[in-house]
């Protein structure tokens, strides 16, 4: 999925293309020969086995987007999205465990960290220490003006004291560091300048996590609350060393996160469709495979068409990102389309399976439950529709 040849060379060249293609082929084999056979264990135990986690760290999956000088693979956005897409063919937990590292956390470091912060945290996440991203709260999600977590200057030093609760935080039970968004000004300020970002070690006194939430799907991937009770962090924990920039860093990193979710939804839709193809050729009715029935073929064809469209969107938005373009709207559009598309595909897959699609012993039922969250996290479809429309209207008014 390279950028069109008639466009300018990308700003971010990433890994050497031949080397990356070899890595991608190796990863495809690993997904099919190692990760998919272990899915039953992941589901039964609701965890990724430690030996697989060790293998994933050794393969460098936790540092895909970390610059090479800090121990990472230095992938560009196009390559990163393809890796996510390949990994997402297997159970969602495998992507989820490293996605925050290489997505929103690494992106926030790139966009806003000081050189000292990059030198400290890039190598740690590249070696496989797990990160999480703390924006959502019990009383606020997309509404940053309602964010209640506070950070006030420490009267006993040059640091900060954090208090508040974060909710639905992916990988919170396993993370060693959290990027926490906190209010550093009591009043809501223009462009969300009342929000700042802090790098908070999860073993800092006063940090605790709730029990992992029970979820509809995505077994082995864990979310939990993070509680911050008079958590003291040093002054250099403030991302970028400047207050009022946290929301900007968060929003820029969310572009990355939305591409990751879109790539994952597209990869999982492909897995579901492949399963439906296999089932339709094996299942017989009226003396022949149901794959011969035209209405089954229509559902298969519609799914292939939509997956292809999402793959094309992924190639386009990531190429734009690598050229340094502003991708806020297109990343949102890709995430909306891919996540909604995945929902339609898994619904068709259940229908193709028929009665078997409603039974837990078949994969279709799991695909249906797993896919539902893609339309919610990293910005619900409805929030992203509002964001896209807002930018469309702003652009219209600018040009009239």
């Amino acid at each position: 999925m390279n950028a069109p040849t008639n466009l300018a060379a990308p700003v971010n060249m990433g890994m050497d293309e031949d080397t990356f293609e070899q890595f991608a082929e190796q990863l495809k084999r690993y997904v099919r020969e190692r990760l998919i056979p272990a899915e039953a264990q992941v589901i039964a135990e609701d965890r990724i086995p430690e030996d697989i986690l060790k293998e994933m760290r050794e393969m460098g999956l936790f540092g895909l987007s970390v610059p090479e000088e800090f121990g990472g693979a230095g992938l560009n956005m196009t390559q990163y999205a393809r890796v996510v897409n390949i990994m997402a063919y297997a159970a969602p937990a495998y992507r989820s465990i490293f996605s925050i590292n290489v997505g929103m956390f690494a992106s926030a470091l790139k966009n806003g960290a000081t050189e000292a912060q990059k030198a400290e945290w890039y190598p740690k996440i590249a070696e496989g220490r797990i990160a999480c991203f703390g924006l959502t709260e019990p009383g606020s999600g997309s509404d940053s003006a309602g964010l209640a977590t506070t950070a006030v200057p420490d009267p006993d030093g040059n640091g900060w004291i954090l208090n508040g609760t974060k909710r639905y935080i992916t990988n919170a039970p396993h993370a060693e560091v959290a990027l926490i968004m906190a209010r550093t000004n009591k009043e809501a300020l223009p462009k969300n300048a009342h929000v700042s970002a802090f790098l908070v070690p999860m073993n800092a006194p006063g940090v605790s996590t709730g029990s992992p939430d029970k979820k509809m799907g995505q077994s082995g991937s864990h979310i939990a609350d993070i509680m911050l009770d008079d958590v003291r962090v040093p002054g250099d924990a403030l991302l970028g060393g400047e207050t009022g920039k946290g929301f900007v860093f968060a929003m820029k990193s969310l572009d990355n996160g939305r591409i990751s979710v879109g790539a994952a939804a597209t990869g999982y839709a492909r897995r579901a469709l492949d399963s439906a193809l296999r089932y339709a050729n094996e299942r017989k009715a009226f003396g022949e495979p149901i794959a011969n029935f035209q209405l089954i073929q229509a559902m298969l064809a519609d799914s292939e068409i939509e997956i292809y469209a999402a793959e094309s969107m992924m190639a386009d938005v990531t190429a734009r990102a690598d050229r340094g373009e502003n991708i806020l709207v297109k990343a949102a559009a890709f995430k909306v389309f891919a996540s909604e598309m995945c929902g339609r595909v898994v619904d068709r897959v259940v229908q193709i399976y028929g009665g078997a699609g409603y039974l837990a012993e078949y994969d279709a039922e799991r695909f249906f439950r797993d896919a539902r969250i893609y339309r919610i996290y990293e910005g619900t479809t409805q929030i992203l529709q509002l964001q896209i429309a807002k930018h469309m209207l702003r652009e219209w008014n600018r040009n009239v």
Side-chain angles (χ1 to χ4, degrees):
M1 296 182 184
N2 296 323
T5 56
N6 62 326
L7 297 175
V11 172
N12 186 353
M13 298 298 294
M15 182 185 289
D16 170 77
E17 194 61 31
D18 289 340
T19 303
F20 175 75
E21 291 300 334
Q22 292 174 10
F23 172 71
E25 288 303 314
Q26 175 191 5
L27 190 63
K28 288 177 184 177
R29 291 194 298 272
Y30 180 71
V31 165
R32 285 158 175 75
E33 297 172 7
R34 178 70 166 124
L35 298 188
I36 289 177
E39 286 179 342
Q41 182 181 355
V42 170
I43 294 167
E45 298 179 0
D46 192 27
R47 58 184 290 273
I48 300 173
E50 286 299 322
D51 55 341
I52 290 182
L53 277 176
K54 182 174 182 292
E55 293 165 3
M56 290 172 65
R57 288 186 170 102
E58 291 172 348
M59 292 175 70
L61 294 179
F62 287 82
L64 294 172
S65 56
V66 173
E68 291 183 74
E69 61 265 34
F70 294 105
L75 300 189
N76 62 24
M77 185 65 78
T78 299
Q79 295 167 340
Y80 157 67
R82 282 189 58 193
V83 169
V84 169
N85 183 260
I86 292 168
M87 287 292 293
Y89 193 84
Y94 297 122
R95 178 203 72 98
S96 182
I97 196 67
F98 71 85
S99 65
I100 305 300
N101 276 39
V102 300
M104 292 186 292
F105 194 86
S107 179
L109 290 179
K110 175 185 176 182
N111 293 327
T114 65
E115 291 306 312
Q117 289 167 339
K118 292 176 182 178
E120 178 180 3
W121 289 109
Y122 266 150
K124 291 178 180 179
I125 63 171
E127 71 182 22
R129 300 192 193 186
I130 298 171
C132 62
F133 189 90
L135 175 61
T136 301
E137 298 184 352
S140 69
S142 302
D143 176 20
S144 62
L147 187 142
T149 297
T150 60
V152 299
D154 188 343
D156 299 325
N158 69 340
W160 298 84
I161 302 175
L162 278 66
N163 282 281
T165 300
K166 299 296 180 179
R167 175 149 293 177
Y168 309 137
I169 306 303
T170 299
N171 291 335
H174 318 293
E176 294 190 40
V177 60
L179 185 64
I180 298 292
M181 302 297 145
R183 179 185 290 267
T184 46
N185 192 299
K186 292 182 180 180
E187 303 300 324
L189 299 177
K191 299 183 179 179
N192 294 284
H194 56 287
V195 181
S196 301
F198 295 86
L199 293 156
V200 181
M202 292 292 284
N203 62 358
V207 178
S208 60
T209 59
S211 300
D213 293 303
K214 296 182 184 297
K215 311 187 307 302
M216 178 189 294
Q218 303 219 354
S219 297
S221 170
H222 300 139
I223 62 173
D225 290 359
I226 297 177
M227 283 73 74
L228 306 160
D229 185 12
D230 286 336
V231 177
R232 283 176 159 81
V233 295
D236 59 10
L238 176 63
L239 187 68
E242 185 178 354
T243 61
K245 299 295 186 181
F247 188 78
V248 175
F249 298 147
M251 290 303 100
K252 287 183 178 179
S253 62
L254 282 175
D255 288 345
N256 188 299
R258 286 162 184 164
I259 287 175
S260 177
V261 173
T266 305
Y268 208 48
R270 175 64 67 189
R271 167 74 182 282
L273 179 57
D274 285 350
S275 173
L277 276 166
R278 181 172 59 253
Y279 185 83
N281 278 284
E282 294 173 352
R283 175 76 167 92
K284 291 186 177 181
F286 306 104
E288 59 181 314
I290 63 172
N292 291 348
F293 302 155
Q294 289 183 334
L295 292 181
I296 296 293
Q297 293 174 2
M299 288 189 283
L300 294 172
D302 284 347
S303 297
E304 175 65 28
I305 291 164
E306 291 200 88
I307 292 172
Y308 173 58
E311 290 172 342
S312 298
M313 290 180 74
M314 184 176 81
D316 177 71
V317 70
T318 56
R320 290 175 182 272
D322 288 333
R323 293 196 299 272
E325 296 182 21
N326 184 329
I327 59 165
L328 188 149
V329 171
K330 287 182 169 53
F334 170 51
K335 192 269 182 183
V336 168
F337 181 83
S339 61
E340 294 286 343
M341 173 277 295
C342 186
R344 292 189 292 270
V345 168
V346 296
D347 185 70
R348 293 185 194 112
V349 170
V350 170
Q351 197 70 10
I352 291 168
Y353 269 73
Y358 201 70
L359 302 182
E361 66 183 279
Y362 291 88
D363 287 339
E365 181 266 352
R366 169 167 62 96
F367 297 152
F368 190 86
R369 289 185 293 103
D370 285 346
R372 188 60 183 85
I373 190 62
Y374 291 134
R375 288 184 269 171
I376 296 173
Y377 60 15
E378 312 310 345
T380 65
T381 292
Q382 290 69 35
I383 284 293
L384 296 184
Q385 286 173 323
L386 292 176
Q387 185 182 79
I388 293 166
K390 180 180 70 175
H391 283 82
M392 290 170 63
L393 293 170
R394 182 183 300 164
E395 190 66 24
W396 169 267
N397 289 325
R398 185 181 295 128
N399 293 328
V400 292

PDB file of all heavy atoms in Angstrom, residues 34-52 91 94 219-220:
ATOM      1  N   ARG A  34       1.153 -18.914  14.957  1.00  0.00           N
ATOM      2  CA  ARG A  34       1.385 -18.834  16.405  1.00  0.00           C
ATOM      3  C   ARG A  34       0.224 -18.177  17.154  1.00  0.00           C
ATOM      4  O   ARG A  34      -0.276 -18.729  18.137  1.00  0.00           O
ATOM      5  CB  ARG A  34       2.679 -18.042  16.660  1.00  0.00           C
ATOM      6  CG  ARG A  34       3.002 -17.842  18.137  1.00  0.00           C
ATOM      7  CD  ARG A  34       3.417 -19.138  18.787  1.00  0.00           C
ATOM      8  NE  ARG A  34       4.022 -18.912  20.081  1.00  0.00           N
ATOM      9  CZ  ARG A  34       3.600 -19.457  21.223  1.00  0.00           C
ATOM     10  NH1 ARG A  34       2.550 -20.263  21.213  1.00  0.00           N
ATOM     11  NH2 ARG A  34       4.219 -19.223  22.352  1.00  0.00           N
ATOM     12  N   LEU A  35      -0.212 -17.004  16.688  1.00  0.00           N
ATOM     13  CA  LEU A  35      -1.204 -16.252  17.462  1.00  0.00           C
ATOM     14  C   LEU A  35      -2.614 -16.833  17.341  1.00  0.00           C
ATOM     15  O   LEU A  35      -3.316 -16.975  18.353  1.00  0.00           O
ATOM     16  CB  LEU A  35      -1.197 -14.787  17.030  1.00  0.00           C
ATOM     17  CG  LEU A  35       0.104 -14.027  17.262  1.00  0.00           C
ATOM     18  CD1 LEU A  35      -0.088 -12.538  16.980  1.00  0.00           C
ATOM     19  CD2 LEU A  35       0.640 -14.226  18.689  1.00  0.00           C
ATOM     20  N   ILE A  36      -3.036 -17.160  16.129  1.00  0.00           N
ATOM     21  CA  ILE A  36      -4.383 -17.702  15.973  1.00  0.00           C
ATOM     22  C   ILE A  36      -4.549 -19.042  16.697  1.00  0.00           C
ATOM     23  O   ILE A  36      -5.553 -19.246  17.388  1.00  0.00           O
ATOM     24  CB  ILE A  36      -4.760 -17.811  14.483  1.00  0.00           C
ATOM     25  CG1 ILE A  36      -4.967 -16.392  13.915  1.00  0.00           C
ATOM     26  CG2 ILE A  36      -6.018 -18.649  14.281  1.00  0.00           C
ATOM     27  CD1 ILE A  36      -5.278 -16.332  12.436  1.00  0.00           C
ATOM     28  N   PRO A  37      -3.599 -19.980  16.617  1.00  0.00           N
ATOM     29  CA  PRO A  37      -3.753 -21.217  17.382  1.00  0.00           C
ATOM     30  C   PRO A  37      -3.833 -21.005  18.896  1.00  0.00           C
ATOM     31  O   PRO A  37      -4.384 -21.852  19.610  1.00  0.00           O
ATOM     32  CB  PRO A  37      -2.496 -22.019  17.011  1.00  0.00           C
ATOM     33  CG  PRO A  37      -2.128 -21.524  15.657  1.00  0.00           C
ATOM     34  CD  PRO A  37      -2.441 -20.061  15.694  1.00  0.00           C
ATOM     35  N   ALA A  38      -3.306 -19.889  19.403  1.00  0.00           N
ATOM     36  CA  ALA A  38      -3.328 -19.617  20.839  1.00  0.00           C
ATOM     37  C   ALA A  38      -4.562 -18.840  21.277  1.00  0.00           C
ATOM     38  O   ALA A  38      -4.720 -18.550  22.467  1.00  0.00           O
ATOM     39  CB  ALA A  38      -2.071 -18.850  21.250  1.00  0.00           C
ATOM     40  N   GLU A  39      -5.449 -18.522  20.336  1.00  0.00           N
ATOM     41  CA  GLU A  39      -6.618 -17.709  20.689  1.00  0.00           C
ATOM     42  C   GLU A  39      -7.506 -18.381  21.735  1.00  0.00           C
ATOM     43  O   GLU A  39      -8.024 -17.709  22.643  1.00  0.00           O
ATOM     44  CB  GLU A  39      -7.438 -17.402  19.440  1.00  0.00           C
ATOM     45  CG  GLU A  39      -6.819 -16.364  18.534  1.00  0.00           C
ATOM     46  CD  GLU A  39      -7.639 -16.105  17.295  1.00  0.00           C
ATOM     47  OE1 GLU A  39      -8.504 -16.937  16.954  1.00  0.00           O
ATOM     48  OE2 GLU A  39      -7.412 -15.057  16.653  1.00  0.00           O
ATOM     49  N   ALA A  40      -7.681 -19.663  21.637  1.00  0.00           N
ATOM     50  CA  ALA A  40      -8.546 -20.357  22.601  1.00  0.00           C
ATOM     51  C   ALA A  40      -8.011 -20.190  24.022  1.00  0.00           C
ATOM     52  O   ALA A  40      -8.784 -19.987  24.975  1.00  0.00           O
ATOM     53  CB  ALA A  40      -8.656 -21.839  22.241  1.00  0.00           C
ATOM     54  N   GLN A  41      -6.693 -20.237  24.172  1.00  0.00           N
ATOM     55  CA  GLN A  41      -6.090 -20.040  25.495  1.00  0.00           C
ATOM     56  C   GLN A  41      -6.271 -18.596  25.964  1.00  0.00           C
ATOM     57  O   GLN A  41      -6.577 -18.353  27.134  1.00  0.00           O
ATOM     58  CB  GLN A  41      -4.598 -20.388  25.456  1.00  0.00           C
ATOM     59  CG  GLN A  41      -3.909 -20.247  26.813  1.00  0.00           C
ATOM     60  CD  GLN A  41      -2.426 -20.583  26.757  1.00  0.00           C
ATOM     61  OE1 GLN A  41      -1.911 -21.010  25.723  1.00  0.00           O
ATOM     62  NE2 GLN A  41      -1.726 -20.391  27.865  1.00  0.00           N
ATOM     63  N   VAL A  42      -6.097 -17.657  25.057  1.00  0.00           N
ATOM     64  CA  VAL A  42      -6.291 -16.238  25.413  1.00  0.00           C
ATOM     65  C   VAL A  42      -7.709 -16.009  25.906  1.00  0.00           C
ATOM     66  O   VAL A  42      -7.925 -15.328  26.922  1.00  0.00           O
ATOM     67  CB  VAL A  42      -5.992 -15.334  24.195  1.00  0.00           C
ATOM     68  CG1 VAL A  42      -6.415 -13.890  24.472  1.00  0.00           C
ATOM     69  CG2 VAL A  42      -4.508 -15.389  23.848  1.00  0.00           C
ATOM     70  N   ILE A  43      -8.680 -16.589  25.213  1.00  0.00           N
ATOM     71  CA  ILE A  43     -10.080 -16.407  25.586  1.00  0.00           C
ATOM     72  C   ILE A  43     -10.392 -17.107  26.906  1.00  0.00           C
ATOM     73  O   ILE A  43     -11.048 -16.539  27.784  1.00  0.00           O
ATOM     74  CB  ILE A  43     -11.000 -16.916  24.461  1.00  0.00           C
ATOM     75  CG1 ILE A  43     -10.821 -16.043  23.210  1.00  0.00           C
ATOM     76  CG2 ILE A  43     -12.459 -16.927  24.895  1.00  0.00           C
ATOM     77  CD1 ILE A  43     -11.439 -16.625  21.958  1.00  0.00           C
ATOM     78  N   ALA A  44      -9.910 -18.328  27.061  1.00  0.00           N
ATOM     79  CA  ALA A  44     -10.206 -19.099  28.276  1.00  0.00           C
ATOM     80  C   ALA A  44      -9.591 -18.458  29.510  1.00  0.00           C
ATOM     81  O   ALA A  44     -10.210 -18.433  30.595  1.00  0.00           O
ATOM     82  CB  ALA A  44      -9.693 -20.533  28.114  1.00  0.00           C
ATOM     83  N   GLU A  45      -8.377 -17.926  29.380  1.00  0.00           N
ATOM     84  CA  GLU A  45      -7.677 -17.366  30.530  1.00  0.00           C
ATOM     85  C   GLU A  45      -7.823 -15.846  30.626  1.00  0.00           C
ATOM     86  O   GLU A  45      -7.394 -15.249  31.616  1.00  0.00           O
ATOM     87  CB  GLU A  45      -6.188 -17.726  30.443  1.00  0.00           C
ATOM     88  CG  GLU A  45      -5.917 -19.227  30.480  1.00  0.00           C
ATOM     89  CD  GLU A  45      -4.441 -19.560  30.358  1.00  0.00           C
ATOM     90  OE1 GLU A  45      -3.619 -18.623  30.247  1.00  0.00           O
ATOM     91  OE2 GLU A  45      -4.110 -20.765  30.369  1.00  0.00           O
ATOM     92  N   ASP A  46      -8.407 -15.227  29.616  1.00  0.00           N
ATOM     93  CA  ASP A  46      -8.563 -13.773  29.542  1.00  0.00           C
ATOM     94  C   ASP A  46      -7.220 -13.065  29.717  1.00  0.00           C
ATOM     95  O   ASP A  46      -7.117 -12.042  30.392  1.00  0.00           O
ATOM     96  CB  ASP A  46      -9.562 -13.279  30.602  1.00  0.00           C
ATOM     97  CG  ASP A  46      -9.973 -11.822  30.364  1.00  0.00           C
ATOM     98  OD1 ASP A  46      -9.925 -11.381  29.212  1.00  0.00           O
ATOM     99  OD2 ASP A  46     -10.331 -11.142  31.352  1.00  0.00           O
ATOM    100  N   ARG A  47      -6.223 -13.591  29.062  1.00  0.00           N
ATOM    101  CA  ARG A  47      -4.886 -12.991  29.133  1.00  0.00           C
ATOM    102  C   ARG A  47      -4.031 -13.540  27.998  1.00  0.00           C
ATOM    103  O   ARG A  47      -4.265 -14.650  27.501  1.00  0.00           O
ATOM    104  CB  ARG A  47      -4.202 -13.273  30.466  1.00  0.00           C
ATOM    105  CG  ARG A  47      -4.058 -14.753  30.783  1.00  0.00           C
ATOM    106  CD  ARG A  47      -3.470 -15.011  32.161  1.00  0.00           C
ATOM    107  NE  ARG A  47      -2.064 -14.648  32.218  1.00  0.00           N
ATOM    108  CZ  ARG A  47      -1.065 -15.469  31.881  1.00  0.00           C
ATOM    109  NH1 ARG A  47      -1.322 -16.704  31.446  1.00  0.00           N
ATOM    110  NH2 ARG A  47       0.177 -15.082  31.967  1.00  0.00           N
ATOM    111  N   ILE A  48      -3.050 -12.754  27.597  1.00  0.00           N
ATOM    112  CA  ILE A  48      -2.077 -13.230  26.615  1.00  0.00           C
ATOM    113  C   ILE A  48      -1.001 -14.006  27.354  1.00  0.00           C
ATOM    114  O   ILE A  48      -0.449 -13.499  28.343  1.00  0.00           O
ATOM    115  CB  ILE A  48      -1.444 -12.047  25.855  1.00  0.00           C
ATOM    116  CG1 ILE A  48      -2.519 -11.254  25.116  1.00  0.00           C
ATOM    117  CG2 ILE A  48      -0.385 -12.537  24.864  1.00  0.00           C
ATOM    118  CD1 ILE A  48      -2.002  -9.985  24.475  1.00  0.00           C
ATOM    119  N   PRO A  49      -0.671 -15.214  26.933  1.00  0.00           N
ATOM    120  CA  PRO A  49       0.359 -15.989  27.631  1.00  0.00           C
ATOM    121  C   PRO A  49       1.689 -15.249  27.674  1.00  0.00           C
ATOM    122  O   PRO A  49       2.059 -14.535  26.735  1.00  0.00           O
ATOM    123  CB  PRO A  49       0.466 -17.267  26.782  1.00  0.00           C
ATOM    124  CG  PRO A  49      -0.862 -17.375  26.094  1.00  0.00           C
ATOM    125  CD  PRO A  49      -1.295 -15.971  25.823  1.00  0.00           C
ATOM    126  N   GLU A  50       2.416 -15.416  28.770  1.00  0.00           N
ATOM    127  CA  GLU A  50       3.671 -14.691  28.955  1.00  0.00           C
ATOM    128  C   GLU A  50       4.699 -15.023  27.876  1.00  0.00           C
ATOM    129  O   GLU A  50       5.482 -14.157  27.483  1.00  0.00           O
ATOM    130  CB  GLU A  50       4.254 -15.013  30.345  1.00  0.00           C
ATOM    131  CG  GLU A  50       3.512 -14.349  31.494  1.00  0.00           C
ATOM    132  CD  GLU A  50       3.534 -12.822  31.397  1.00  0.00           C
ATOM    133  OE1 GLU A  50       4.582 -12.261  30.991  1.00  0.00           O
ATOM    134  OE2 GLU A  50       2.515 -12.197  31.719  1.00  0.00           O
ATOM    135  N   ASP A  51       4.702 -16.267  27.406  1.00  0.00           N
ATOM    136  CA  ASP A  51       5.695 -16.610  26.385  1.00  0.00           C
ATOM    137  C   ASP A  51       5.415 -15.871  25.071  1.00  0.00           C
ATOM    138  O   ASP A  51       6.353 -15.476  24.360  1.00  0.00           O
ATOM    139  CB  ASP A  51       5.760 -18.127  26.160  1.00  0.00           C
ATOM    140  CG  ASP A  51       4.415 -18.739  25.805  1.00  0.00           C
ATOM    141  OD1 ASP A  51       3.376 -18.103  26.072  1.00  0.00           O
ATOM    142  OD2 ASP A  51       4.396 -19.861  25.268  1.00  0.00           O
ATOM    143  N   ILE A  52       4.145 -15.631  24.763  1.00  0.00           N
ATOM    144  CA  ILE A  52       3.820 -14.869  23.564  1.00  0.00           C
ATOM    145  C   ILE A  52       4.173 -13.405  23.754  1.00  0.00           C
ATOM    146  O   ILE A  52       4.707 -12.755  22.838  1.00  0.00           O
ATOM    147  CB  ILE A  52       2.333 -15.049  23.197  1.00  0.00           C
ATOM    148  CG1 ILE A  52       2.090 -16.472  22.693  1.00  0.00           C
ATOM    149  CG2 ILE A  52       1.904 -14.028  22.134  1.00  0.00           C
ATOM    150  CD1 ILE A  52       0.676 -16.763  22.264  1.00  0.00           C
ATOM    151  N   ALA A  91      -6.837 -12.390  17.283  1.00  0.00           N
ATOM    152  CA  ALA A  91      -7.666 -11.854  18.361  1.00  0.00           C
ATOM    153  C   ALA A  91      -7.237 -10.433  18.722  1.00  0.00           C
ATOM    154  O   ALA A  91      -6.042 -10.114  18.756  1.00  0.00           O
ATOM    155  CB  ALA A  91      -7.574 -12.765  19.582  1.00  0.00           C
ATOM    156  N   TYR A  94      -4.083  -9.110  21.038  1.00  0.00           N
ATOM    157  CA  TYR A  94      -2.683  -9.039  20.614  1.00  0.00           C
ATOM    158  C   TYR A  94      -2.303  -7.630  20.167  1.00  0.00           C
ATOM    159  O   TYR A  94      -1.220  -7.142  20.474  1.00  0.00           O
ATOM    160  CB  TYR A  94      -2.426 -10.023  19.471  1.00  0.00           C
ATOM    161  CG  TYR A  94      -2.629 -11.478  19.815  1.00  0.00           C
ATOM    162  CD1 TYR A  94      -3.543 -12.258  19.111  1.00  0.00           C
ATOM    163  CD2 TYR A  94      -1.892 -12.088  20.831  1.00  0.00           C
ATOM    164  CE1 TYR A  94      -3.723 -13.611  19.406  1.00  0.00           C
ATOM    165  CE2 TYR A  94      -2.070 -13.435  21.138  1.00  0.00           C
ATOM    166  CZ  TYR A  94      -2.986 -14.186  20.422  1.00  0.00           C
ATOM    167  OH  TYR A  94      -3.163 -15.507  20.720  1.00  0.00           O
ATOM    168  N   SER A 219     -11.655 -10.500  24.658  1.00  0.00           N
ATOM    169  CA  SER A 219     -11.028 -11.197  25.781  1.00  0.00           C
ATOM    170  C   SER A 219      -9.516 -11.072  25.710  1.00  0.00           C
ATOM    171  O   SER A 219      -8.922 -11.114  24.630  1.00  0.00           O
ATOM    172  CB  SER A 219     -11.410 -12.688  25.760  1.00  0.00           C
ATOM    173  OG  SER A 219     -12.803 -12.842  25.924  1.00  0.00           O
ATOM    174  N   GLY A 220      -8.890 -10.917  26.876  1.00  0.00           N
ATOM    175  CA  GLY A 220      -7.437 -10.791  26.951  1.00  0.00           C
ATOM    176  C   GLY A 220      -6.956  -9.367  26.860  1.00  0.00           C
ATOM    177  O   GLY A 220      -5.791  -9.081  27.144  1.00  0.00           O
TER     178      GLY A 220
END
